[in-house]
Amino acid sequence: MSNYFYILWIPLLPLATFVILGLFGRKYLSAIAGLLGTASLFSSTVLSFVAANQYFFVDGKVNGVFQKIVAFKFTWLEFSPNVSIDLGMIIDPISVMMLVVVTSVSLMVHVFSLGYMKGEERFATYYAFLSLFTFSMLGLILSSNIFQVYMFWELVGVSSFLLISYYFNKPSAVAASKKAFIVTRFADLGFLIGILILGFYGGTLDIGLLIERFTSVNSAQYISITGASFLGASMLTWGLTLLFIGGAGKSAMFPLHIWLPDAMEGPTPVSALIHAATMVVAGVYLVARMFPIFSMDEAALHIVTYVGAASALFAAVIACTQTDIKRVLAYSTMSQIGYMMFALGISKNGGEAGLGYMASMFHLFTHAFFKSLLFLGAGAVIHMVHSNEMKDMGGLRKLMPITHIAFLIACLAIAGIPPFAGFFSKEEILTAAFHENKIIYGIALFTAALTSFYMFRLYFNIFWSKEAPAANHAQADHGQEAHASHGEGPWVMKLPLLILAACAVGVGFVPFSQLVTSDGKALETHIDIVFSIAPVVLSVLAILLAARFYKNQNGRSDKMAAAFGGLYTAAYKKFYVDEVYIFITKKIVFPFIGQPIAWADRNIVDGFMLLLAKITANISESIKGLQSGKVQNYALYFFGGVAALSILFIYIWK
């Protein structure tokens, strides 16, 4: 226990930074706010790597199995001897892996922001919000109690709201933050109900105890929750499904994805933080954390599988049509999260059957680095041309050679081209899908090809094609300075790109199956060269197709869009899901639910309270005359009351 007590400082350092910058940043520490926030995250990152080294290579494994270690634990609220809420920190393979991912990516965002956000009026506030968000995510992944998870889960929602609405004077940013907050609140309601169901039948909120009780088919808790049913499904299925709904909201799974593209209104480094390794993978982490229980219910796993697969394909199709580079990356994130979800859904708990679990966590790990690289690269491009639209870009490889190479590496990684990181993790997912569900494998293979196409469509439109007016304008504006720095900003913006590019190449060689598995035991995996031919060939063909259409402005892309006709239009309009939500809200929810409730609130609730107030006022008006100030009147009232009570007790009360 004491060996890992220092882990407490990993989330506390960002929290301390938030408090300091929140109270004193704008007035006293504006000049050093960025350096203070970055130094704090650097310390947390170092401690995370120390913890990873200690756990994975020193004392985390006992008899060949990685242990779950509770670093510390104390009772926060005790309702009865059998019902209490404990707070603690759990150390196991996925929490340690997530510590490294969250702190590393957040550190890169902090460093990049030193250059990207320089000169912003609310610079200190920005770093305060970044620190709060990082603290929230770190608290979430270390929580040993499911209610503790929920508290940090909501704090992640609040801090993401603050970051998305950072440009609060921009109406679209305000609307996007409210949309993200409201949509995820509906999902979080499901999460809360799921927690209550599992806690009620499990008799505890401790994650370890819940897993122990619900994975033993002979336990009273398992028999109780599987024996109870509602609408033909067991309460275990309902509890897990509601838990997944909470995760689906945070991870932007269909149909709760509508907040994700609009969240791009926040600063681009924020997009890298939210969409790479933190907020959007919270749902995947939740399912993985509770996976032993999910593995006990086939119906819940089927929901996870097919929602994940549908989201992956749906988002990939939309990404092929979008013109805003940040929206392309947003839908790409949704698609890759779908990959992680269905990999969990097709997995079992333990042994070779747990390949899907390992593959999902491996893809979460690799995706964090190349997706944050893509977003930060997009940020450098936007910083250069002052636009998010592809039409304003083109030919930027000459002005931005470092960004160009880094972005290309990230595109190759997400496309699954060997030897880049995405190849190894995606290969494991495809292998697991092939052995468990051929339909899911087919969807995954087609989605992988679409991923390669839309990512290189993005790459060629930005860095090749015909030089756009905005790029020429930026070059003219920068003049000699642009030539000296290649238009890529200061070194604090280039350094994270170089580090993440190295990670996008190297992290695929991490022996992940030896470290993070569903049962804590090492899993022997290998790359099947023959099996790899199909996905790699499809990805290469998709890249060549993208090059043919988008490397040069030849009009072929417009002809292709016209050939698909209504399908292309529907995909560009995101299949009108937003419009459906607006229709339901305005035509059904508002008139048939909202307005009747508002009428009842105004006329019944408020009316009753107003009536009560009026009656009280009238009574007080009537009796205030009794306060005459005359002692003889008070004496008369007193003796009259005594006489009345005497009569009551003598003649009436028996």
Side-chain angles (χ1 to χ4, degrees):
M1 178 176 174
S2 60
N3 291 341
Y4 289 93
F5 193 77
Y6 64 89
I7 288 180
L8 182 63
W9 289 103
I10 297 175
L12 287 184
L13 285 171
L15 176 62
T17 304
F18 163 70
V19 173
I20 293 170
L21 293 180
L23 293 175
F24 311 109
R26 293 191 68 179
K27 191 172 182 180
Y28 303 107
L29 303 173
S30 182
I32 62 168
L35 294 175
L36 182 62
T38 304
S40 171
L41 246 297
F42 179 78
S43 301
S44 291
T45 304
V46 171
L47 289 175
S48 296
F49 276 92
V50 170
N53 179 71
Q54 180 182 348
Y55 181 79
F56 286 126
F57 305 110
V58 180
D59 58 9
K61 184 181 287 188
V62 178
N63 297 324
V65 180
F66 284 109
Q67 303 298 301
K68 286 183 171 62
I69 302 169
V70 179
F72 81 94
K73 182 178 179 181
F74 71 93
T75 299
W76 178 42
L77 295 173
E78 186 171 359
F79 303 103
S80 72
N82 298 322
V83 181
S84 63
I85 297 177
D86 298 327
L87 300 182
M89 293 194 310
I90 189 170
I91 308 299
D92 68 350
I94 59 170
S95 65
V96 174
M97 180 269 294
M98 287 294 293
L99 279 179
V100 172
V101 167
V102 172
T103 54
S104 299
V105 173
S106 184
L107 177 62
M108 295 298 101
V109 170
H110 275 69
V111 174
F112 187 87
S113 297
L114 291 172
Y116 189 90
M117 300 298 291
K118 184 179 180 181
E120 289 284 344
E121 182 182 354
R122 300 168 65 235
F123 189 68
T125 303
Y126 171 80
Y127 271 92
F129 290 167
L130 280 185
S131 298
L132 177 63
F133 185 91
T134 306
F135 161 72
S136 304
M137 272 304 304
L138 292 171
L140 191 157
I141 62 180
L142 288 171
S143 296
S144 63
N145 183 287
I146 196 167
F147 189 79
Q148 184 184 350
V149 171
Y150 182 76
M151 290 192 299
F152 282 106
W153 189 273
E154 294 301 321
L155 195 55
V156 166
V158 171
S159 52
S160 66
F161 171 85
L162 296 173
L163 286 169
I164 296 170
S165 63
Y166 174 77
Y167 298 119
F168 62 88
N169 54 352
K170 187 179 177 183
S172 57
V174 175
S177 62
K178 290 192 292 185
K179 188 176 184 179
F181 192 78
I182 293 170
V183 171
T184 53
R185 290 296 70 70
F186 280 104
D188 293 351
L189 176 61
F191 183 22
L192 180 59
I193 297 172
I195 289 173
L196 296 176
I197 291 174
L198 295 182
F200 176 78
Y201 285 98
T204 181
L205 294 173
D206 184 88
I207 293 174
L209 287 176
L210 282 174
I211 291 174
E212 180 184 334
R213 293 172 182 180
F214 287 143
T215 54
S216 175
V217 295
N218 296 320
S219 70
Q221 292 82 7
Y222 179 83
I223 295 171
S224 175
I225 197 170
T226 53
S229 63
F230 178 70
L231 297 178
S234 74
M235 294 309 296
L236 180 61
T237 301
W238 278 106
L240 294 175
T241 301
L242 289 166
L243 234 63
F244 173 69
I245 288 174
K250 275 287 190 290
S251 292
M253 295 287 94
F254 180 87
L256 299 172
H257 67 282
I258 58 172
W259 65 269
L260 187 67
D262 291 348
M264 298 296 102
E265 292 293 339
T268 302
V270 168
S271 301
L273 189 61
I274 291 177
H275 299 89
T278 51
M279 181 174 172
V280 291
V281 298
V284 179
Y285 175 80
L286 176 66
V287 176
R289 169 60 67 206
M290 307 300 292
F291 185 75
I293 303 177
F294 272 91
S295 67
M296 301 297 293
D297 192 273
E298 190 173 344
L301 283 181
H302 282 163
I303 294 172
V304 174
T305 300
Y306 290 103
V307 170
S311 298
L313 179 59
F314 177 81
V317 172
I318 294 176
C320 292
T321 65
Q322 300 302 298
T323 58
D324 183 310
I325 63 173
K326 290 176 68 176
R327 288 181 178 267
V328 174
L329 295 178
Y331 281 107
S332 169
T333 298
M334 177 182 170
S335 182
Q336 297 304 302
I337 296 295
Y339 254 85
M340 301 172 203
M341 279 294 191
F342 77 66
L344 287 172
I346 60 175
S347 182
K348 302 293 187 294
N349 189 37
E352 295 291 333
L355 177 62
Y357 177 97
M358 187 281 298
S360 175
M361 295 297 98
F362 193 15
H363 199 56
L364 187 157
F365 181 70
T366 61
H367 175 265
F369 296 102
F370 58 69
K371 182 53 62 72
S372 56
L373 175 57
L374 286 168
F375 270 107
L376 293 185
V381 170
I382 294 168
H383 190 264
M384 175 72 177
V385 302
H386 307 293
S387 174
N388 291 16
E389 291 292 329
M390 293 185 197
K391 62 180 176 62
D392 298 325
M393 303 168 190
L396 293 179
R397 69 189 186 282
K398 300 174 184 177
L399 293 174
M400 311 179 73
I402 294 175
T403 305
H404 167 233
I405 297 300
F407 203 92
L408 176 59
I409 290 172
C411 287
L412 290 169
I414 196 172
I417 304 299
F420 300 95
F423 165 75
F424 298 96
S425 56
K426 194 172 286 187
E427 184 73 8
E428 300 294 356
I429 291 178
L430 290 172
T431 302
F434 181 80
H435 291 296
E436 295 295 332
N437 191 319
K438 296 296 191 296
I439 296 175
I440 298 298
Y441 172 74
I443 295 173
L445 200 60
F446 181 61
T447 303
L450 287 179
T451 301
S452 301
F453 176 79
Y454 69 68
M455 286 309 308
F456 276 87
R457 168 181 177 263
L458 182 64
Y459 164 75
F460 287 122
N461 269 309
I462 295 174
F463 296 103
W464 291 82
S465 192
K466 184 180 178 181
E467 291 191 6
N472 295 327
H473 180 68
Q475 188 177 15
D477 284 349
H478 287 279
Q480 296 298 321
E481 184 183 351
H483 180 73
S485 67
H486 304 290
E488 296 182 298
W491 68 269
V492 290
M493 291 177 62
K494 290 181 277 190
L495 181 61
L497 298 180
L498 295 172
I499 294 174
L500 289 170
C503 292
V505 176
V507 297
F509 295 97
V510 172
F512 202 84
S513 64
Q514 303 296 308
L515 305 175
V516 183
T517 59
S518 59
D519 57 0
K521 301 177 183 178
L523 181 62
E524 294 299 326
T525 60
H526 65 279
I527 299 297
D528 189 331
I529 302 299
V530 176
F531 182 82
S532 302
I533 292 175
V536 172
V537 168
L538 282 176
S539 293
V540 170
L541 290 175
I543 293 171
L544 294 174
L545 187 64
R548 175 176 174 81
F549 283 110
Y550 300 103
K551 187 177 179 181
N552 301 299
Q553 290 189 348
N554 47 31
R556 290 171 179 160
S557 59
D558 295 331
K559 293 178 181 177
M560 181 183 65
F564 280 97
L567 178 61
Y568 183 91
T569 303
Y572 180 74
K573 296 291 187 179
K574 298 161 286 188
F575 292 103
Y576 304 99
V577 175
D578 283 79
E579 285 77 7
V580 171
Y581 272 105
I582 292 171
F583 175 82
I584 293 173
T585 302
K586 289 187 175 181
K587 301 297 184 181
I588 298 175
V589 176
F590 284 173
F592 296 107
I593 300 175
Q595 290 181 5
I597 292 175
W599 182 90
D601 182 60
R602 285 194 307 271
N603 295 278
I604 298 176
V605 179
D606 287 354
F608 175 76
M609 298 307 297
L610 289 172
L611 177 63
L612 191 63
K614 189 175 181 179
I615 293 172
T616 303
N618 291 335
I619 293 173
S620 65
E621 185 71 27
S622 301
I623 65 175
K624 72 179 183 180
L626 298 176
Q627 299 290 333
S628 62
K630 297 179 179 179
V631 177
Q632 59 269 34
N633 288 346
Y634 299 155
L636 181 62
Y637 301 151
F638 176 77
F639 287 111
V642 171
L645 289 173
S646 299
I647 294 170
L648 177 66
F649 281 104
I650 295 173
Y651 295 103
I652 299 175
W653 190 269
K654 305 286 185 183

